[in-house]
Amino acid sequence: MSSVIHRDCDVLIIGGGAAGCVAAVEAKELAPELDVVVMEKAHVYRSGCLAAGISALNAYLHQGETPESFLRYVIRDSVGIVRDDLTLTMAAELNAQVKRVESWGLPIPKDERDRPLKRGRGSIKIFGERIKPILGKRAEASGATILNRVNATALAVHDGRVIGAYGVGTRDAKLHAVRAKTVLVCTGGAAGLYRPSNPGMASHRMWYSPFNTGAGLAMGIRAGAEMTSFEFRFIPLRIKDAIAPTGEIAQWLGAQQINALGEEYLDKHYAHLGGRSMTTQDRLYATLLERRAGRGPCYLDVRNVNPKRLEGTIAAYLSMAPPSAMLMSDEAYYAKHGGVMAPVEITGGEPLVVGGHGLSGYWIDAARRASVPGLWAAGDVAGGSPKKYASGAWAEAVIAVRAMVEEARQREHAPLDAGELAREHARALKPLEKPGSISPQDLEERLQKVLDEYAGGISRDYGYSEHELKIAKLHLGRMADELASLAAITPFELMQCHDVIDRVTVAKTLVEHMLHRRETRWHCYQERLDYPQRDDARFMLFVNSVQGPDGAIRIVERPVERAQLDVELPPLADGAVIRHSR
Ligand SMILES: Cc1cc2nc3c(=O)[nH]c(=O)nc-3n(C[C@H](O)[C@H](O)[C@H](O)COP(=O)(O)OP(=O)(O)OC[C@H]3O[C@@H](n4cnc5c(N)ncnc54)[C@H](O)[C@@H]3O)c2cc1C
């Protein structure tokens, strides 16, 4: 066995993104005497979803809003399936964490009464191009040890408790074994499972970070942690080709969604809501229906927007998606000289497993503890509480760290299992031993084709049936042999091998969840063509899963425990209005 780099710490944070950086600072501020280590696959200055910058914080309580009002909105948008305890505790932390990151140097524009500028219901504007360096530098300055460019591959487990993690250097392929008294996983969601919007060399021009491959989910699945709601896939409605966020145009400019005939179509599809807001997935579903009816493509109509605001929007795109800024400033120039701005074409991206926008991820308790002792989860990797976004990831990180620090103070290190270390050494470095076999790109494409065609990808308008899912399952089962033949020459290719190994692990769990929920609750996100109706009597519950040591995935149903709230859900197909309360 080649040399292994050993390290001990009190608090190990896997993933130095939005949640991970804030977690590191919180841990060192609460307990300066504890050793805190961050294991990050890229570099904390530019990693994860925030790497390119963002222009808004999408979870914030504006004046008049409360954690309860936020929860009501989330319950309705998620058609009832929400962990109230997680959403309430997260929402209660939001504004304090926004203020904290502002104090680290994040510019937040204010109105005349010194309130953050409102972009949408739970959203504020920020100047966030440098948000990631701000977070990364603060994490570094906190005194935490940052292991940049170490790709976590597995959790270390002793007597059923997580006691650390293994990782491989992405530049030197050295194995790291880090022992810890408490471990937080915050590696984000899983992108790249499905065939993406753009082909070939542009395939990583996707909305979600292509380097968030579901590693944290896969590590947890392999360690027997309970997962929730993978079948709630998040599908972003984005600017076509650039796959850039649309919130800036829809919310800040107030641009309407129109079809190829120039007709506004959301009101037409959702008139039955009588002015009550439609869900996030409805906007995507209506766009799909328009195209199916021969009225596509669809657009955001920027022809008559406020020119002053338009300038702001272009600047905002410079902070997160510069190609869109260039496109729009060309158009704005044309409009200024007598032309008419072309509407911005929109389309759905490929499905993602992501707990920050959607519901999927680790099943955790209110302290963000996973079901396996010693392990916590926060941010996009954690399930049950959608619409967290960046500020919600910070909130979850500090909630987790408070409990972790208490526990770390009271525990001794458990011994690392020599057998487990040897097995992980062999498994993690195996692709380097067999150059010339299957490349990670080949297998990634195969996985993406299988999920696209048999598990409701873009080419299938997101719909799927029992028969198709079973074919997907068969293919995923067969991939085990191919995974064993993955080959890498460089350390970077080794990382890519683990990316695809982890994606296949996540995909297997995903398909089991999709098979289990025999209804259609969230159009496009979860579109059972063979069960097109919502079935509240049978499926107002969480679909969870646990993978056993033999790789078999067991589905567990968990009830929705509603706080003392009375919420009106979106109506059923027959127009019946359902209220949900305890
Ligand atoms: C393009 C885009 C735009 C967005 N815009 C907004 C916005 O305007 N406002 C808003 O509030 N939210 C926005 N979001 C959502 C927000 O960015 C995420 O919800 C938030 O970053 C989640 O935090 P996280 O820490 O869970 O994940 P991330 O911030 O993605 O961090 C995950 C970290 O884990 C690391 N990692 C992954 N795998 C491994 C591994 N195997 N080993 C070690 N490290 C690993 C990654 O490199 C990364 O640093 C946007 C997201 C995207 C993708």
Side-chain angles (χ1 to χ4, degrees), residues 15-19 39-41 47-50 54-58 150-152 186-188 207-208 212 215 357 379-380 389-390 393:
M39 186 185 281
E40 165 56 45
K41 167 185 193 170
S47 66
C49 295
L50 302 182
I54 53 174
S55 65
L57 292 173
N58 290 335
V150 177
N151 184 37
C186 41
T187 47
W207 169 75
Y208 204 70
N212 285 1
H357 283 67
D380 282 9
Y389 310 113

Side-chain angles (χ1 to χ4, degrees), residues 268-281:
K268 178 177 66 187
H269 288 286
Y270 298 108
H272 62 286
L273 294 178
R276 284 160 300 184
S277 63
M278 64 204 73
T279 65
T280 311
Q281 57 272 20

Side-chain angles (χ1 to χ4, degrees), residues 97-109 126-135 137-138 394:
Q97 296 314 317
V98 169
K99 219 174 170 48
R100 181 188 210 182
V101 176
E102 183 183 21
S103 76
W104 298 348
L106 176 69
I108 302 184
I126 61 168
F127 296 123
E129 192 280 328
R130 286 186 50 74
I131 189 168
K132 198 65 223 302
I134 290 169
L135 293 173
K137 286 187 176 165
R138 189 69 188 197
W394 301 337

Side-chain angles (χ1 to χ4, degrees), residues 431 433-440 442 481-482 484-489:
E433 290 167 9
K434 297 206 309 179
S437 214
I438 299 179
S439 79
D442 287 346
D481 291 344
E482 289 148 63
S485 305
L486 273 170
I489 296 172

Side-chain angles (χ1 to χ4, degrees), residues 324-339:
S324 304
M326 285 155 72
L327 220 129
M328 289 192 77
S329 54
D330 263 2
E331 288 290 333
Y333 181 85
Y334 178 57
K336 210 169 172 175
H337 292 85

